[in-house]
Amino acid sequence: MEQELKTEATRKLICETAFKKFYKNGFKATSVNDIMKATGLSKGAFYHNFKNKDELGVLVVKAELNTRIYEAMVTPLYAEGEAKAILKKTFLNKFEAFTSDEKLMGCPVNNLVNEIGGSKNLLNQALKELIDTWVNAVVEIIERGHKDGSIKPETNPHETAIYLVSSFEGMRGIRKLYTNDISWNAYRGALEKYLDQL
C-alpha cells in the first residue's frame, strides 16, 4: 500500500510539472529531461511510470486539462435554473476570470490542439474526447433551454455548441497576439449579445 501511494504521488508530481512545462514552453519543445529536472526526480523515475512523453501527455490531458475544463465550463452547465441564464453565466464568468498571464499564454487545451491536432496518436484522441465532452454539455443545456422556453426552438443545439466552444477558444488564441484587451473586450460584448439572442 505504501509503495502504491508513493508511485501515485510520483506520477502526480510528474504530471503536474509536465502540465506547467507544456503550458509555458509547448509540448514538443519540452523534453523528458526538462520535466524531470523540474521535479528533482531521476529519469529512471519517469520511465518507471511512463513509456514515453506521449503517454504522459495523455495523462496531462485527462488529469489536468479535463479538470480545468470540467470545473470551469462543464460542471456549471448542470446547475439548476433557467438554461439560457446558466449558459450565459458559465461563458461570461469564465471569460472575465482569466488572469493577465492566462490571457498572454492562451488556453492550454487550445495550445495543445494547435500543436498536436491532426496527429494519429492517443494524445490527439484524448484532446478530441475533451472537446467533445464540452460541446456535448453545451448541446444539453441548449436542449434544456428548448424545454424551459428560455432558448428559441429554432436554435440548433449542435451548431450553436460548436460555434460557442470554437469562438471562445479562438479568442483565447488571438488574445496572445495583443498587449491590451481591446479585441478581448469586443469579443466579450459580441459573445453576450449572441447568447442573449439565442
Side-chain angles (χ1 to χ4, degrees), residues 22 25 27 69-70 84 95 99 103 105 141 188 192:
F22 295 161
N25 304 317
F27 179 80
I69 293 291
Y70 266 84
K84 185 193 275 188
F95 195 79
T99 66
K103 290 177 187 176
M105 293 173 68
I141 192 73
R188 192 247 181 246
E192 184 167 18

Side-chain angles (χ1 to χ4, degrees), residues 24-84:
K24 184 176 179 186
N25 304 317
F27 179 80
K28 291 178 181 174
T30 302
S31 69
V32 170
N33 284 340
D34 295 333
I35 296 164
M36 298 316 290
K37 184 176 178 184
T39 64
L41 298 172
S42 70
K43 202 167 176 183
F46 178 86
Y47 288 108
H48 178 73
N49 287 281
F50 302 98
K51 283 190 279 191
N52 52 42
K53 190 172 75 169
D54 280 357
E55 185 179 283
L56 171 60
V58 171
L59 181 62
V60 167
V61 171
K62 292 186 174 181
E64 297 293 326
L65 300 183
N66 273 8
T67 299
R68 292 168 69 95
I69 293 291
Y70 266 84
E71 287 177 357
M73 303 304 296
V74 174
T75 302
L77 294 175
Y78 292 100
E80 295 292 322
E82 183 192 69
K84 185 193 275 188

Side-chain angles (χ1 to χ4, degrees), residues 89-103:
K89 181 179 178 183
T90 299
F91 274 85
L92 295 179
N93 279 2
K94 183 57 183 170
F95 195 79
E96 291 164 2
F98 292 118
T99 66
S100 296
D101 284 345
E102 287 173 319
K103 290 177 187 176

Side-chain angles (χ1 to χ4, degrees), residues 41-192:
L41 298 172
S42 70
K43 202 167 176 183
F46 178 86
Y47 288 108
H48 178 73
N49 287 281
F50 302 98
K51 283 190 279 191
N52 52 42
K53 190 172 75 169
D54 280 357
E55 185 179 283
L56 171 60
V58 171
L59 181 62
V60 167
V61 171
K62 292 186 174 181
E64 297 293 326
L65 300 183
N66 273 8
T67 299
R68 292 168 69 95
I69 293 291
Y70 266 84
E71 287 177 357
M73 303 304 296
V74 174
T75 302
L77 294 175
Y78 292 100
E80 295 292 322
E82 183 192 69
K84 185 193 275 188
I86 292 166
L87 181 62
K88 187 174 175 182
K89 181 179 178 183
T90 299
F91 274 85
L92 295 179
N93 279 2
K94 183 57 183 170
F95 195 79
E96 291 164 2
F98 292 118
T99 66
S100 296
D101 284 345
E102 287 173 319
K103 290 177 187 176
L104 288 172
M105 293 173 68
C107 173
V109 175
N110 192 17
N111 293 348
L112 203 49
V113 166
N114 286 323
E115 191 176 1
I116 301 300
S119 60
K120 305 289 185 201
N121 60 30
L122 292 175
L123 183 54
N124 191 64
Q125 184 60 37
L127 287 165
K128 280 169 54 178
E129 289 170 7
L130 173 55
I131 295 298
D132 287 346
T133 298
W134 184 8
V135 168
N136 290 336
V138 177
V139 166
E140 287 182 34
I141 192 73
I142 293 167
E143 289 171 346
R144 269 177 57 195
H146 287 165
K147 290 176 185 168
D148 72 19
S150 64
I151 294 177
K152 296 172 190 170
E154 62 268 23
T155 300
N156 182 295
H158 190 256
E159 288 176 3
T160 303
I162 290 290
Y163 177 76
L164 284 170
V165 170
S166 61
S167 71
F168 192 85
E169 286 298 291
M171 188 63 233
R172 291 213 56 203
I174 289 168
R175 176 57 180 80
K176 295 190 294 184
L177 299 172
Y178 297 94
T179 57
N180 60 56
D181 281 340
I182 294 171
S183 296
W184 182 261
N185 291 333
Y187 173 76
R188 192 247 181 246
L191 176 62
E192 184 167 18

